[in-house]
């Protein structure tokens, strides 16, 4: 195993870099857009459209979404390069899931908080940004954490677009060395990454919880 | 100044308000009294447009109350609802800042002076979950006062207040009514007697 | 780790591991039945040995794990003989040749291996094409960005080639010919150059030497009496 | 496409059956166990253990978990058949995610509800079952729905254990017909299934919401 | 019957209760009074073990109050907290059923009789969010009464009640005190005067 690590660490490092790249960019874009979609859900007229979008996102496998964007869109005259297609696909997907979680969080904000914001004359956007969103994030933090950690591992799906990341590297190595050890190595890398991310998330959660409800 | 015309409101089959009419002017305190469950809070919610009356209209300075001018009407809720995630000072200032009523510095000064008056100076950075019932009620009252509305409605404002704080509130109401119309809902006969200029009896 | 031949014969059943999406070696027909060159060949071999083959689809990436954990008794599915694999499994005598061919669109200006410099080349992941291309010195470094693109399946290669993102693809001739049957062959070009020949063999556990011998004997029989070519005719058109 | 459907529907039907089998069983087992784990989280002494379990579940890809259970456990003397290994793997994984979502839901139950239950002298289990769980499910319903719909598609991972379901069938067909159409067909099947599941979930959610907070 | 010995409690640096002692017997109503924020609700929370006092002990019939016998002490919270997901009847019965105090039928009968007394018969299947402030308060009071505790504590029980309901509650307190010890926290001097047998003044 040590031996294998020594000779294959450049590949692993590169895979790790790719994994982190898609993870971080998607996390940023889909958090921002997720918040935006949740905000727009507050407008009655936008709801059918958003519900439709969420149905598509949740109704089809992310893998097929990626494949459609990459291999299907060219038939409609839109040919994207691998990286762009992957980022668009992930953002499209995760935005939907995050928006749905935040919507749930907002629903469980007690009515009195919403009433007070209304009576104080806050605009929809100010109420959302200052009252609903912070309370919603607090309410749904464990679910959001789940999503973040799933995203880390979902980045593996970029293999379908010919991109290379940790899991793909492990498969290649497994094939090369005719051994399952690379899977164990990559499993440990994921685990370490996740533990770090989890620690950070727990810290954020705890800070938010200091202010008890 | 403020007028209610033919207000009716039902929840499903339950007729809560029926054809109500009243008027309150600057320099007047209107008391709304009646047994528990008769519709007092519902009326206040309609006034601030939190609930929509089924019939009738409210008028503020001769204009119908709508989305635009409703924010000139203040309401202190029956169960004093502070924002859970904000400390006392932020709860007091969030609306003032949003409406840019006065400069930040002046707002802080005003808030602090009210807090001092109500004996709450040491609670500035406490969160709502760390306050007693009466403390929350006083903060909610101060928040409404800071907004300087044209009409200010209080729903059971003394339900958790001790005698001293009650007297303080009465003094304040007497002071603000010079500029504002005040509506008070309460079961506290002593309070009504001491502040009310006129009365509407429900039920 | 012992020789399992006796035990298998006693049970009367042998588990053949295969990737059931590998056309034309092992795949499912419209009725969902397992067919293919390797499937028929396996049936013939074990019929003669006197044991019933049971076909177990597996994830191709995990084939050696499946074999060594005893879930399957052999790997039989266009399994290319390589030195690395030889360290982990025993191979039967090779039973078929396969070439790693290079395909471009007919309109492409790529005519030979040398023209691949600076181009985008794709192969299937964990395939012998991957091993063949990356094993040849001075090829991958000269590709665009110095990388060889890999896809999940050989079909993806064609899609990416048609979308214009890949300039050339390298894959098993056996499979490519099957695919081109259903496409307009005029639109594609198969280069004269290739990435070498390889041989397919059947993979066994190191300890299963008796089984290996038996299969090799039977395979030789099947070849010499012409049955082999009959089976081949059904699935592979040269 | 119609043609393809006609000749390959037995395979599709079988794939669909497999997908639904793993989906339904996992949904049941992991909901039940998820509730149990959430309940146990209420005991201080259980927390480190549960946190560790959640870290493992969220820290490694489900695919690797499945591979470990099927290929790794035999080294420890535990050999499972494919179906059992798949079901154990999915249950192990989804129990963790569901428990974490429910934990979040319970955290956002207002303190006064918990206080009243305490003062009324309810036992821990009664409080959990009658107060915390119902309110938590209500709070976190959209996140739970997300999880259910992701599960439907995650069942595709059983291919790693040599099992066959919709996605695998679509691959087989794609190779057979040298065409991407099977992916579209399977995408539509998933979409239809998801829409049905979503409808059911929305109905449940609405029924719960009738009782506004 | 019930005794508090040397009770002290702080929140961080804030000393809320300091060395409190009092005693209340069956057939007695003890009133606890004091300005807002002085620690009255905190004291009640300590009595039912919802908060842990820093020092001192409570005794119920000579035994220390602990996890086991605390359930014989009832508390009506200052902000009447009903279970959001249960309707009025379920809110009333959930605890009675759990403790199997009496047969289901009898429990329903008792609950219905209290509801009638308090004029709430038509709210049986309403959810808390559909109730007025005073209605919620009365339901919370009924829930506590149904449990027949040895000691029953009320925190501001009349804060949202009108005169008639207040009189009703006073009658009930007078009736139950024959069997139970009662502790009342309130700013309502009229209430205290009418029910209290003895007083503890805080602050
Ligand atoms: N959302 C609702 N749905 C149905 N009925 C409601 C709703 N809100 C209030 N009610 C009913 O309307 C009536 C009036 O309620 P309201 O809160 O206005 O009473 P109130 O006069 O303020 O009483 P209190 O003095 O107890 O606060 C009550 O009978 C109440 O049950
Ligand atoms: N969780 C907490 N953290 C910090 N301080 C607290 C907390 N809970 C209460 N306090 C403080 O303890 C003091 C006593 O609160 P308590 O609720 O007992 O007052 P009270 O006598 O019931 O007042 P009221 O009449 O207003 O209800 C208050 O100053 C309050 O700010
Ligand atoms: Mg009211
Ligand atoms: Mg109090």
């Amino acid at each position: 195993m040590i031996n294998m690590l020594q000779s294959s660490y450049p590949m692993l490092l590169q895979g790790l870099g790719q994994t982190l790249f898609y993870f971080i960019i998607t996390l940023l874009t889909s958090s921002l857009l997720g918040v935006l979609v949740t905000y727009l859900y507050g407008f009655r007229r936008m709801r059918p459209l958003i519900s439709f979008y969420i149905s598509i996102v949740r109704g089809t496998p992310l893998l097929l979404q990626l494949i459609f964007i990459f291999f299907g869109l060219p038939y409609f005259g839109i040919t994207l390069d691998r990286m762009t297609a992957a980022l668009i696909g992930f953002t499209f997907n995760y935005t939907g899931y995050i928006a749905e979680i935040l919507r749930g969080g907002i629903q469980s904000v007690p009515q009195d908080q919403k009433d007070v914001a209304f009576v104080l004359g806050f605009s929809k956007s100010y109420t959302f940004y200052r009252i609903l969103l912070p309370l919603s994030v607090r309410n749904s933090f464990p679910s959001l954490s789940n999503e973040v950690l799933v995203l880390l591992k979902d980045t593996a799906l970029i293999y379908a677009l010919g991109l290379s990341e940790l899991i793909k590297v492990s498969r290649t190595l497994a094939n090369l060395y005719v051994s399952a050890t690379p899977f164990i190595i990559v499993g440990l890398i994921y685990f370490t990454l996740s533990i770090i991310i989890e620690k950070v998330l727990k810290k954020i959660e705890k800070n938010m919880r200091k202010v008890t409800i | 100044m403020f007028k209610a015309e033919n207000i009716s409101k039902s929840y499903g089959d339950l007729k809560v308000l029926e054809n109500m009419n009243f008027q309150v002017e600057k320099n007047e305190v209107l008391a709304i009294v009646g047994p528990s469950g008769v519709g007092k809070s519902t009326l206040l919610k309609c006034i601030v447009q939190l609930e929509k009356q089924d019939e009738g209209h409210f008028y503020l300075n001769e204009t119908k109350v709508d989305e635009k001018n409703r924010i000139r009407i203040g309401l202190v809720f029956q169960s004093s609802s502070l924002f859970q995630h904000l400390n006392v000072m932020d709860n007091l200032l969030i609306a003032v800042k949003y409406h840019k009523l006065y400069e930040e510095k002046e707002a802080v000064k005003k808030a602090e002076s009210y807090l001092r008056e109500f004996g709450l100076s040491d609670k500035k950075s406490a969160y709502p979950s760390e306050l007693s019932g009466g403390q929350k009620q006083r903060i909610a009252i101060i928040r409404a006062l800071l907004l300087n509305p044209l009409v200010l409605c209080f729903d059971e404002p003394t339900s958790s207040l001790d005698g001293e704080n009650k007297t303080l509130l009465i003094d304040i109401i007497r002071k603000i009514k010079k500029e504002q119309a005040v509506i008070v809902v309460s079961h506290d006969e002593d309070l009504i007697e001491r502040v009310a200029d006129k009365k509407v009896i429900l039920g | 780790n012992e020789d399992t031949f006796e035990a298998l014969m006693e049970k009367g059943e042998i588990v053949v591991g295969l990737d059931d999406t590998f056309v034309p070696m092992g795949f499912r027909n419209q009725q969902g039945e397992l067919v293919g060159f390797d499937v028929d060949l396996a049936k013939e071999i074990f019929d003669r040995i006197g044991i019933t083959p049971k076909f177990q689809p597996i994830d191709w990436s995990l084939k050696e794990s499946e074999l060594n954990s005893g879930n399957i008794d052999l790997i039989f599915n266009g399994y290319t003989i390589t030195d690395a694999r030889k360290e982990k499994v025993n191979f039967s005598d090779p039973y078929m040749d396969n070439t790693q061919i290079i395909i471009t669109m007919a309109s492409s200006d790529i005519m030979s291996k040398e023209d691949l410099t600076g181009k985008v080349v794709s192969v299937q992941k964990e395939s012998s094409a991957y091993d063949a291309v990356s094993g040849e010195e001075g090829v991958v470094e000269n590709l665009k960005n110095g990388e060889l693109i890999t896809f999940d399946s050989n079909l993806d290669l064609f899609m990416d080639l048609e979308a214009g993102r890949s300039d050339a693809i390298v894959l098993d001739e056996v499979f490519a010919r099957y695919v081109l049957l259903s496409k307009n062959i005029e639109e594609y070009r198969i280069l004269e150059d290739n990435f070498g020949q390889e041989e397919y063999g059947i993979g066994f556990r190191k300890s299963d030497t008796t089984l290996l011998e038996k299969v090799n004997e039977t395979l030789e029989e099947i070849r010499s009496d012409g049955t082999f070519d009959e089976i081949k005719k059904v699935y592979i058109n040269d």
Side-chain angles (χ1 to χ4, degrees), chain A, chain B, chain C:
Chain A
M1 181 154 151
I2 301 291
N3 209 354
M4 201 181 287
L5 260 176
Q6 248 161 11
S7 57
S8 56
Y9 83 94
M11 253 177 109
L12 284 169
L13 224 58
Q14 216 209 334
L16 178 64
Q18 286 288 300
T19 295
L20 286 178
F21 172 77
Y22 288 96
F23 170 69
I24 290 170
I25 305 271
T26 307
L27 189 58
L28 290 178
T29 52
S30 57
S31 301
L32 287 177
L33 288 174
V35 167
L36 182 68
V37 170
T38 312
Y39 172 62
L40 292 178
Y41 192 85
F43 295 88
R44 236 158 245 294
R45 268 177 308 173
M46 299 296 287
R47 288 199 189 168
L49 191 71
I50 294 176
S51 293
F52 178 69
Y53 160 64
I54 302 262
S55 291
I56 301 261
V57 165
R58 302 203 301 187
T60 49
L62 173 50
L63 181 63
L64 288 192
Q65 289 166 22
L66 289 170
I67 289 177
F68 177 79
I69 290 173
F70 192 61
F71 293 116
L73 286 188
Y75 291 102
F76 301 93
I78 306 167
T79 306
L80 301 166
D81 68 73
R82 290 160 217 290
M83 191 183 89
T84 317
L87 287 177
I88 289 180
F90 275 109
T91 304
F92 175 79
N93 189 272
Y94 272 82
T95 296
Y97 282 101
I98 290 177
E100 195 63 7
I101 292 177
L102 289 177
R103 179 178 79 81
I106 285 180
Q107 273 185 355
S108 48
V109 170
Q111 188 60 39
D112 73 318
Q113 305 282 305
K114 299 173 189 172
D115 288 352
V116 172
F118 177 84
V119 169
L120 291 179
F122 292 170
S123 68
K124 254 190 158 136
S125 59
Y126 194 74
T127 303
F128 179 79
Y129 171 64
R130 290 296 308 265
I131 310 300
L132 300 180
L133 187 61
L135 290 171
S136 165
V137 169
R138 226 166 59 168
N139 280 343
S140 54
F141 204 79
S143 298
L144 289 172
S145 301
N146 274 354
E147 218 53 35
V148 171
L149 289 162
V150 170
L151 169 61
L152 176 67
K153 290 158 295 174
D154 261 0
T155 50
L157 292 175
I158 59 175
Y159 79 86
L161 310 192
L163 292 162
S164 210
E165 41 60 66
L166 278 176
I167 291 269
K168 174 117 162 219
V169 168
S170 72
R171 277 175 192 270
T172 307
L173 291 174
N175 200 49
L176 193 66
Y177 291 102
V178 197
S179 145
T181 315
F183 289 119
I184 299 175
I185 296 176
V186 167
L188 288 175
I189 296 179
Y190 270 117
F191 190 61
T192 316
L193 274 182
S194 297
I195 293 287
I196 296 170
I197 296 171
E198 224 180 7
K199 279 257 149 64
V200 174
L201 291 172
K202 284 266 176 213
K203 200 154 233 168
I204 299 175
E205 189 181 352
K206 223 170 227 163
N207 271 330
M208 286 191 314
R209 284 283 149 195
K210 256 190 207 149
V211 188
T212 46
I213 304 188
Chain B
M1 173 107 168
F2 183 79
K3 200 165 63 179
E5 247 183 42
N6 297 321
I7 304 297
S8 298
K9 166 82 186 168
S10 307
Y11 286 114
D13 288 342
L14 183 74
K15 280 202 170 134
V16 179
L17 302 172
E18 243 190 303
N19 206 14
M20 283 208 55
N21 289 283
F22 61 82
Q23 195 162 347
V24 54
E25 299 299 329
K26 198 162 99 171
N27 218 353
E28 263 184 355
V29 175
L30 170 72
I32 297 176
V33 295
S36 166
V38 79
K40 304 179 297 295
S41 300
T42 305
L43 176 62
L44 294 187
K45 281 183 198 160
C46 289
I47 289 178
V48 295
Q49 309 274 300
L50 194 57
E51 294 272 1
K52 189 83 201 96
Q53 63 271 20
D54 301 333
E55 275 166 59
H57 294 287
F58 296 101
Y59 295 89
L60 182 62
N61 288 333
E62 313 300 317
T63 7
K64 261 191 206 164
V65 173
D66 60 10
E67 260 309 301
K68 264 192 62 182
N69 60 358
R70 69 162 173 91
I71 60 171
R72 305 306 318 273
I73 309 175
L75 167 61
V76 181
F77 285 86
Q78 186 165 11
S79 60
S80 34
S81 311
L82 304 176
F83 292 120
Q84 301 166 340
H85 59 306
L86 301 179
N87 69 20
V88 166
M89 207 55 184
D90 290 340
N91 258 294
L92 291 180
L93 295 182
I94 185 171
V96 179
K97 276 188 196 160
Y98 174 68
H99 291 294
K100 300 200 180 58
L101 289 179
Y102 8 80
E103 299 224 335
E104 169 117 21
K105 245 198 201 152
E106 203 191 329
V108 174
K109 231 169 74 186
K110 272 201 163 197
E112 281 181 340
S113 122
Y114 272 126
L115 285 174
R116 214 173 312 115
E117 233 178 310
F118 276 115
L120 292 170
S121 293
D122 55 332
K123 297 292 176 190
K124 252 180 258 183
S125 48
Y127 282 90
S129 60
E130 301 166 339
L131 297 176
S132 83
Q135 288 166 345
K136 276 189 259 189
Q137 192 160 38
R138 283 173 275 163
I139 305 291
I141 291 170
I142 299 175
R143 179 171 62 187
L145 290 172
L146 284 175
L147 283 176
N148 254 335
L150 292 175
V151 183
L152 185 43
C153 310
F154 293 95
D155 198 351
E156 291 294 354
T158 56
S159 61
S160 309
L161 293 192
D162 54 75
E164 204 173 313
N165 279 309
K166 185 161 121 184
T167 305
L168 204 61
L169 175 64
I170 291 170
D171 289 346
I172 290 176
I173 291 180
R174 285 190 184 138
K175 204 165 73 193
I176 62 168
K177 81 169 180 182
K178 288 183 191 132
E179 303 294 327
Q180 292 156 291
V182 177
I183 300 178
V184 176
V185 163
S186 185
H187 296 296
D188 185 341
E189 284 161 27
D190 173 54
L191 171 71
I192 304 286
E193 202 164 296
R194 285 160 73 183
V195 297
D197 298 302
K198 52 202 253 194
K199 246 194 209 174
V200 171
I201 300 174
L202 291 185
Chain C
N1 277 359
E2 49 196 288
D3 197 317
T4 57
F5 186 70
E6 291 300 323
L8 286 174
M9 287 307 284
E10 201 150 300
K11 217 169 65 178
E13 195 177 80
I14 186 161
V15 183
V16 179
L18 82 171
D19 174 0
D20 59 353
T21 62
F22 186 22
V23 188
M25 306 306 275
F27 60 104
R28 287 179 192 276
N29 65 13
Q30 283 129 334
Q31 283 72 46
E33 298 155 349
L34 266 176
V35 294
F37 176 78
D38 282 342
V39 174
D40 286 6
L41 184 59
K43 280 183 184 156
E44 186 64 32
I45 291 172
F46 292 113
D47 206 30
R48 294 191 186 198
I49 295 178
I51 186 167
T52 319
K54 184 176 163 254
F55 294 95
Q56 174 62 54
I58 54 169
D59 179 3
W60 197 241
S61 323
L62 296 165
K63 50 197 176 300
E64 288 87 8
S65 298
E66 292 270 8
L67 183 68
N68 289 321
S69 62
N71 292 316
I72 58 176
D73 298 311
L74 44 106
I75 301 170
F76 197 158
N77 199 187
Y79 189 35
T80 305
I81 302 171
T82 68
D83 287 338
R85 284 172 180 171
K86 273 184 189 161
E87 283 177 24
K88 301 285 170 154
V89 303
N90 274 347
F91 279 98
S92 69
D93 297 334
Y95 62 89
M96 196 189 306
D97 291 338
N98 181 33
T99 311
Q100 295 302 328
I101 58 169
I102 307 165
I103 299 181
T104 66
M105 297 307 285
S107 54
S108 165
D109 52 5
I110 299 172
M111 297 296 172
S112 67
K113 258 193 210 179
E114 286 77 59
D115 295 341
L116 293 178
T117 304
K119 301 290 188 191
V120 179
V121 176
S122 301
V123 297
Q124 186 185 10
K125 66 181 167 101
E126 303 141 49
S127 63
S128 22
Y130 177 88
D131 296 342
V133 177
S134 47
E136 204 160 308
E137 243 167 77
V139 176
V140 176
E141 304 90 277
N142 288 329
L143 297 179
K144 190 164 181 202
N145 299 331
E147 64 175 349
L148 181 60
I149 306 294
T150 60
F151 279 102
D152 200 32
S153 85
N154 277 324
L155 280 182
D156 295 342
L157 300 183
F158 280 95
M159 286 199 277
D160 210 47
L161 185 68
E162 286 154 19
R165 280 178 298 231
S166 290
D167 298 310
I169 59 179
V170 180
L171 71 168
D172 284 6
E173 180 173 17
V174 175
F175 181 77
R177 294 232 177 258
Y178 178 85
V179 170
L180 288 176
L181 274 183
S182 61
K183 295 199 183 268
N184 182 3
I185 197 149
E186 308 286 299
E187 290 177 16
Y188 303 86
R189 173 186 308 133
I190 300 176
L191 301 197
E192 302 267 313
D193 284 352
N194 62 45
F195 276 99
Q197 292 228 329
E198 59 185 19
E199 292 168 323
Y200 288 157
I202 307 164
F204 299 87
R205 273 185 291 271
K206 284 275 180 196
S207 50
D208 275 334
T209 44
T210 320
L211 183 62
L212 174 66
E213 275 166 34
K214 285 275 180 210
V215 168
N216 274 339
E217 280 168 25
T218 320
L219 198 55
E220 187 45 46
E221 253 177 64
I222 294 175
R223 264 186 203 288
S224 49
D225 66 14
T227 322
F228 186 89
D229 289 327
E230 265 171 46
I231 297 174
K232 194 169 171 186
K233 236 188 302 179
V234 180
Y235 296 99
I236 295 167
N237 48 332
D238 292 295

